[in-house]
């Protein structure tokens, strides 16, 4: 009933296309992602440490791996330029709290997912490492995750995560822009809101 | 029946023509100064009202059903339903593969449907993926995008949620072009469609309870967050089929942001330790 020859040729065709998708490899950056994922999974899957401890260890890893200063400025976009130094400093502190709060107390939801790096390519000033989040025990339920990295003299930092085509940093930026547009472009209101939500 | 197909053709031709017109216009625009990519949401005020209505509908009806569903139906069964919904969508994907000129993909989608409906017991299992037959769902909205139709302004539809004129047309046409609907005819296909819509909504909601609750609680502007997720997600699905994909657009946004910090003025650095 099923023509297996046809199926096989479709399969071969499919795999050929898949292997052409990536040419350039940025080994350093791929290793960075693998190392980050290994360390993160080690913390997340450790049943012996308390929830609070888990969050602080995870935060330490994240803060060492991400350029949060750059991300903070990027999501604020034009409003950054128009802010006073005092506002900038208070905003950076508030955004860091908000950022940590976004994953704190949720780390116990980890259920054995793994990161498989599948390739890398240059994108302007950045390198994008392409990977899949794979759930243990299934090979068909995959979530695509792209890491936007910046490499300054071998000092690699994360700039953005893109999940199934959705850039988290761009989403955050659009959210802040929308809030400012609806609140007289007042950065003070944004800072207050960020602090309220983080509580 | 003919009437329905006419509507689809009419709607798509209008959109395609508009697409051509607006493409020309945007070429002219791009000659002027570089603009910061802005969100296409002229109906924001109305959209926000409908969005609030949908949140209440979700809170009172959809979310409680999804929570109950998740609580009483074991994960194994829930996965079977997810797979069966995917399988019922395969013929639509195959039709859209064809409309997009993707013959090989149409072959894969059709094979998937045949294998999973038989060997996979009415689509409750997915043996096709295990032999390498994988395909992504394609809907008519994505086909319109391949045909060069722009998404148009962001729309929030009552009950149905985020959309835009292109995807809404796609949604209407998808049910009309669905081979399952055409073959079935009459009540059988109607109940099957209801199964897909109703169960599909609960299935989707139950898979996203924590994520959506979380997004709602931690958003600075929940409406804008959902809008961004929807628009980015749809654009990237559509661009899977196109050469000039949204990846370049995304790269441009990031490249506009100068790493040497001259763009952002005097720099405040906080040392994180």
């Amino acid at each position: 009933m099923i023509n297996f020859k046809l199926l096989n040729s479709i399969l071969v065709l499919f795999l050929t296309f898949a292997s052409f998708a990536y040419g350039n490899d940025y080994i350093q950056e791929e290793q960075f992602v693998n190392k980050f994922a290994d360390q993160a999974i080690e913390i997340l899957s450790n049943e012996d440490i308390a929830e609070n401890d888990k969050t602080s260890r995870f935060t330490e890893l994240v803060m060492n791996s991400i350029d949060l200063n750059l991300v903070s400025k990027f999501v604020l976009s034009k409003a950054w330029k128009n802010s006073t130094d005092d506002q900038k400093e208070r905003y950076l502190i508030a955004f860091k709290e908000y950022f940590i709060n976004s994953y704190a107390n949720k780390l116990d939801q980890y259920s054995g997912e793994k990161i498989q790096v599948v390739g890398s390519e240059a994108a302007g000033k950045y390198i994008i490492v392409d990977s899949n989040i794979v759930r243990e025990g299934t090979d068909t339920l995959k979530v695509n995750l792209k890491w936007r990295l910046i490499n300054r003299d071998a000092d690699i930092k994360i700039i953005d995560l893109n999940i199934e085509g959705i850039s988290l940093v761009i989403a955050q930026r659009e959210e802040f822009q929308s809030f400012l547009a609806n609140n007289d472009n007042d950065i003070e209101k944004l800072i207050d809101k960020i602090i309220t939500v983080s509580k | 029946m003919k009437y329905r197909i006419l509507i689809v053709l009419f709607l798509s031709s209008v959109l395609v023509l508009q697409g051509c017109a607006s493409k020309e216009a945007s070429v002219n625009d791009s000659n002027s100064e570089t603009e910061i990519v802005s969100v296409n949401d002229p109906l924001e005020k109305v959209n926000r009202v409908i969005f609030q209505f949908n949140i209440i509908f979700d809170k009172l009806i959809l979310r409680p059903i999804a929570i109950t569903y998740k609580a009483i139906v074991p994960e194994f069964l829930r996965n079977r339903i997810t797979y069966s919904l995917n399988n019922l969508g395969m013929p639509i994907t195959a039709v859209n593969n064809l409309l997009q000129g993707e013959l090989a993909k149409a072959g894969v989608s059709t094979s998937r449907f045949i294998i999973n409906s038989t060997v996979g017991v009415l689509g409750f299992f997915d043996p096709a993926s295990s032999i390498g037959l994988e395909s992504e769902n394609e809907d008519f909205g994505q086909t319109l995008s391949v045909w060069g139709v722009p998404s148009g302004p962001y729309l929030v539809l009552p009950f149905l949620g985020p959309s835009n004129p292109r995807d809404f047309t796609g949604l209407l046409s998808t049910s009309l072009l669905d081979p399952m609907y055409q073959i079935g005819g009459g009540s059988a296909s109607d109940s099957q469609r209801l199964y897909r819509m109703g169960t599909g909504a609960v299935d989707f909601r139950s898979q996203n309870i924590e994520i959506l609750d979380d997004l709602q609680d931690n958003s600075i502007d929940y409406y804008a967050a959902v809008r961004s997720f929807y628009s980015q997600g749809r654009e990237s699905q559509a661009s899977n089929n196109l050469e000039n994909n949204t990846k370049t657009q995304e790269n441009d946004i990031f490249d506009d942001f100068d790493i040497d910090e001259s763009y952002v003025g005097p720099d405040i650095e906080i040392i994180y330790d």
Side-chain angles (χ1 to χ4, degrees):
Chain A
M1 189 174 70
I2 298 153
N3 187 335
F4 277 102
K5 259 192 185 163
L6 177 71
L7 286 186
N8 269 334
S9 49
I10 291 170
L11 179 62
V12 169
L13 201 70
F14 179 77
L15 290 175
T16 323
F17 278 123
S19 63
F20 272 115
Y22 282 96
N24 297 330
D25 275 353
Y26 291 85
I27 312 256
Q28 238 187 346
E29 285 81 358
E30 289 186 17
Q31 278 170 350
F32 170 85
V33 169
N34 276 323
K35 197 178 156 209
F36 177 81
D38 286 346
Q39 287 173 313
I41 288 169
E42 198 188 316
I43 298 169
L44 294 174
S45 57
N46 191 338
E47 305 281 342
D48 300 330
I49 46 178
E51 190 62 42
N52 273 351
D53 203 17
K54 214 179 232 189
T55 303
S56 62
R57 276 207 208 167
F58 190 75
T59 298
E60 195 189 331
L61 171 66
V62 170
M63 290 303 155
N64 284 329
S65 315
I66 188 176
D67 189 338
L68 195 60
N69 271 305
L70 191 60
V71 171
S72 307
K73 291 170 206 164
F74 183 79
V75 293
L76 202 54
S77 190
K78 278 186 295 183
W80 176 265
K81 260 200 298 194
N82 305 327
S83 306
T84 65
D85 282 4
D86 172 55
Q87 285 171 328
K88 284 175 184 170
E89 191 168 349
R90 279 184 292 123
Y91 161 76
L92 285 177
I93 294 166
F95 186 72
K96 187 197 171 193
E97 279 307 307
Y98 173 72
F99 177 79
I100 294 173
N101 191 58
S102 68
Y103 59 74
N105 306 321
K106 282 168 214 127
L107 299 180
D108 56 340
Q109 287 172 12
Y110 174 76
S111 54
E113 288 87 353
K114 296 229 153 39
I115 302 278
Q116 280 175 351
V117 172
V118 292
S120 52
E121 61 179 352
K125 302 164 186 164
Y126 309 92
I127 305 293
I128 292 181
V129 174
D130 195 6
S131 71
N132 287 317
I133 306 174
V134 192
R135 221 172 275 172
E136 222 162 53
T138 61
D139 23 308
T140 53
L141 297 172
K142 274 186 271 186
V143 177
N144 184 259
L145 175 63
K146 290 189 174 68
W147 310 65
R148 184 178 292 267
L149 306 172
I150 184 168
N151 189 342
R152 299 183 188 94
D153 306 324
D155 178 25
I156 302 174
K157 295 279 191 237
I158 301 169
I159 296 295
D160 183 28
L161 297 180
N162 184 310
I163 302 171
E164 289 286 329
I166 297 167
S167 152
L168 296 184
V169 165
I170 290 181
Q172 188 68 70
R173 182 166 132 130
E174 285 181 11
E175 213 184 323
F176 281 5
Q177 297 315 301
S178 173
F179 181 90
L180 286 169
N182 287 300
N183 288 278
D184 321 312
N185 285 313
D186 188 349
I187 182 132
E188 292 295 338
K189 284 184 184 161
L190 180 65
I191 295 171
D192 286 349
K193 178 78 179 173
I194 295 173
I195 293 172
T196 323
V197 171
S198 316
K199 268 176 190 158
Chain B
M1 188 61 77
K2 271 181 193 161
Y3 176 64
R4 288 208 178 100
I5 291 168
L6 272 180
I7 295 180
V8 173
L9 284 176
F10 174 72
L11 282 175
S12 7
S13 63
V14 168
L15 283 168
V16 170
L17 288 177
Q18 273 185 346
C20 298
S22 66
K23 250 186 192 165
E24 269 172 40
S26 66
V27 168
N28 291 334
D29 282 350
S30 63
N31 288 336
S32 57
E33 274 305 292
T34 49
E35 65 207 279
I36 290 173
V37 181
S38 60
V39 179
N40 184 4
D41 189 6
L43 301 171
E44 182 172 337
K45 286 217 168 86
V46 183
N47 281 341
R48 277 188 189 266
V49 174
I50 303 173
F51 187 73
Q52 283 307 319
F53 166 79
N54 285 347
I55 289 179
I56 295 169
F57 169 74
D58 178 65
K59 224 172 230 161
L60 294 180
I61 298 173
L62 190 55
R63 189 174 174 276
I65 295 177
I67 287 176
T68 318
Y69 170 74
K70 206 175 170 184
I72 59 177
V73 181
E75 192 183 358
F76 178 79
L77 284 181
R78 278 188 277 127
N79 283 341
R80 301 287 74 74
I81 287 175
T82 306
Y83 280 128
S84 107
L85 288 164
N86 278 340
N87 189 51
L88 287 174
M90 255 324 122
I92 301 174
T93 296
V95 168
N96 282 296
N97 289 144
L98 281 179
L99 290 173
Q100 293 169 20
E102 301 274 4
L103 291 180
K105 283 186 186 169
V108 173
S109 307
T110 311
S111 317
R112 276 184 61 87
F113 182 66
I114 294 170
I115 293 171
N116 286 349
S117 300
T118 52
V119 185
V121 199
L122 296 172
F124 287 121
F125 296 87
D126 185 10
S129 288
S130 343
I131 56 169
L133 286 173
E134 294 180 44
S135 72
E136 294 189 352
N137 286 331
E138 296 286 333
D139 55 54
F140 197 61
Q142 281 157 267
T143 299
L144 288 174
S145 146
V146 171
W147 292 354
V149 179
S151 63
Y154 180 69
L155 287 179
V156 181
L157 304 172
F159 303 107
L160 298 171
S163 190
N164 56 51
R166 180 181 73 199
D167 289 342
F168 184 54
T169 310
L171 190 73
L172 292 177
S173 318
T174 293
S175 57
L176 301 176
L177 290 172
D178 185 356
M180 300 291 281
Y181 182 82
Q182 302 285 2
I183 296 165
S187 62
S189 62
D190 270 350
S191 61
Q192 190 232 55
R193 240 157 30 110
L194 281 178
Y195 166 73
R196 262 182 38 207
M197 264 186 82
T199 319
V202 176
D203 176 59
F204 171 81
R205 193 65 181 85
S206 70
Q207 288 181 32
N208 296 291
I209 292 172
E210 289 87 5
I211 294 176
L212 287 178
D213 285 358
D214 211 56
L215 191 63
Q216 195 166 358
D217 292 344
N218 293 317
S219 284
I220 301 298
D221 185 336
Y222 185 41
Y223 171 84
V226 171
R227 180 178 63 193
S228 180
F229 281 20
Y230 180 79
S231 308
Q232 285 197 58
R234 284 299 290 179
E235 283 308 315
S236 92
Q237 280 172 351
S239 70
N240 286 338
N241 310 313
L242 293 169
E243 284 303 313
N244 60 334
N245 51 28
T246 45
K247 240 165 56 184
T248 41
Q249 202 188 337
E250 190 183 314
N251 287 339
D252 287 348
I253 297 178
F254 276 97
D255 270 348
D256 278 350
F257 191 79
D258 260 355
I259 289 171
D260 64 16
E261 259 114 62
S262 57
Y263 172 81
V264 293
D267 193 31
I268 302 282
E269 292 277 345
I270 291 195
I271 308 299
Y272 300 110
D273 43 25

